[in-house]
Every structure is written in structure tokens, then in C-alpha cells.
Amino acid sequence: QLVFFWITLAEDTIRDYSEILGPLPPGEVVLVEEHLDLEDPDVTYISLHCTRYFPGSGTKCRNNIFNYPVDRDCGDDEYLRVLEGALEKVKDGAHELIAVSAGFDGHINDPVASLGLTTKVYKRIGRMLNGFGLPVFSVLEGGYDPQDLSRNIYSYLEGSA
């Protein structure tokens, strides 16, 4: 089974990650939210995002899609609390791979879409995902502060190691 995390702001765009994943057995190609097979038990989609910044982003959970909206400028503690709850969906031991759309636009200094997150929280997020002992791959998808982007990525990768 595949777990697909969207751990930043969710936009109302459709993103096709099948090219990144490459050829997979039937039922394991990931097309984000609107194109996920709601009946496919082999894919779990989890999204943490700020719906106030992107109106219309996912607010409802359906079958294998779990949306967790957070408030703009929620900060590290609230974001981690919500993420810990979301990760409960993975603790069943049935998953084989975690795919992460790793956005860093939630950083406190990001000019586009800050969630009030500090650089150190990305290391914790990496550790939390790595704690499942599953293969994890990440795709960079956001972060618009050139001063902090590399530090945030490094922090995440350090936690993932």
C-alpha cells in the first residue's frame, strides 16, 4: 500500500505524480485527490493544508482521502499536533511506501503562504515520517523565501536520515 502525504498548502490544482513514481502495479499510481480511486485500499492520501489561503481546498474526508486543514500562522505546536493525528492513519502496518509532496511555504518567513513554522519543525516532520521504517521519497513543491529554503530542506532531510 502507498501513503501519499501532502504536508503543506493544498491548492485546487490536479497534480499527477505517476511520472515520479514510475511504473507501479495496478492500483498504486497516484493522482492527487480528485483523481484518486476512493475505493482503492492500496492508496491512502493525507493532506495538511491551509484552506483559508487556498479557498476550496479539501475540507472533507472520504474513504481513503484524509484532509486536515490548519489555520494560517498556526505555528509548530499546532501543526505537529494535527500531523500526529493524521499519522494515526498509517499505524496499521499495511503500508509499504510513503510519498511526500514536501512544501516549505509554510515557513514563518515565507512571503507567499506562511503557516508560522520554524526551520526546526521540518526536522521533526522528517523524523516522524522516517519513524515508520518505510521507504520514503519526497518531491519539492513549494517554498518561496530564498534565505530560508535551503535551511528548511536540509532540516527536513536531516530528520529523514
Side-chain angles (χ1 to χ4, degrees):
Q1 288 191 352
L2 172 71
V3 178
F4 183 83
F5 282 96
W6 184 281
I7 58 167
T8 185
L9 301 170
E11 302 175 35
D12 276 338
T13 56
I14 299 169
R15 298 169 190 256
D16 181 348
Y17 286 95
S18 61
E19 291 178 351
I20 296 163
L21 296 173
L24 293 171
E28 290 189 359
V29 173
V30 175
L31 302 176
V32 175
E33 192 166 356
E34 291 87 353
H35 288 252
L36 282 176
D37 181 352
L38 296 174
E39 305 301 322
D40 187 345
D42 290 331
V43 178
T44 302
Y45 174 79
I46 298 172
S47 175
L48 273 70
H49 55 273
C50 180
T51 57
R52 281 199 262 168
Y53 193 80
F54 292 108
S57 295
T59 57
K60 297 178 183 169
C61 297
R62 306 171 303 210
N63 300 341
N64 57 335
I65 297 174
F66 302 96
N67 285 297
Y68 297 89
V70 295
D71 288 330
R72 185 172 168 88
D73 295 319
C74 65
D76 292 354
D77 292 340
E78 176 65 10
Y79 191 88
L80 289 173
R81 184 190 67 74
V82 173
L83 179 59
E84 286 173 2
L87 292 177
E88 291 295 319
K89 303 293 181 197
V90 185
K91 289 188 176 179
D92 62 7
H95 299 90
E96 299 171 9
L97 172 71
I98 298 175
V100 180
S101 180
F104 298 91
D105 44 358
H107 188 263
I108 195 166
N109 295 331
D110 193 273
V112 176
S114 173
L115 292 176
L117 305 181
T118 63
T119 298
K120 67 181 180 180
V121 80
Y122 293 108
K123 185 174 184 176
R124 272 218 42 218
I125 292 168
R127 281 188 181 146
M128 291 168 79
L129 296 174
N130 194 41
F132 289 99
L134 299 172
V136 177
F137 79 85
S138 302
V139 178
L140 177 62
E141 67 90 4
Y144 308 98
D145 175 27
Q147 297 294 332
D148 291 304
L149 181 59
S150 62
R151 285 187 282 267
N152 296 335
I153 294 170
Y154 182 82
S155 179
Y156 173 72
L157 292 174
E158 189 175 38
S160 299

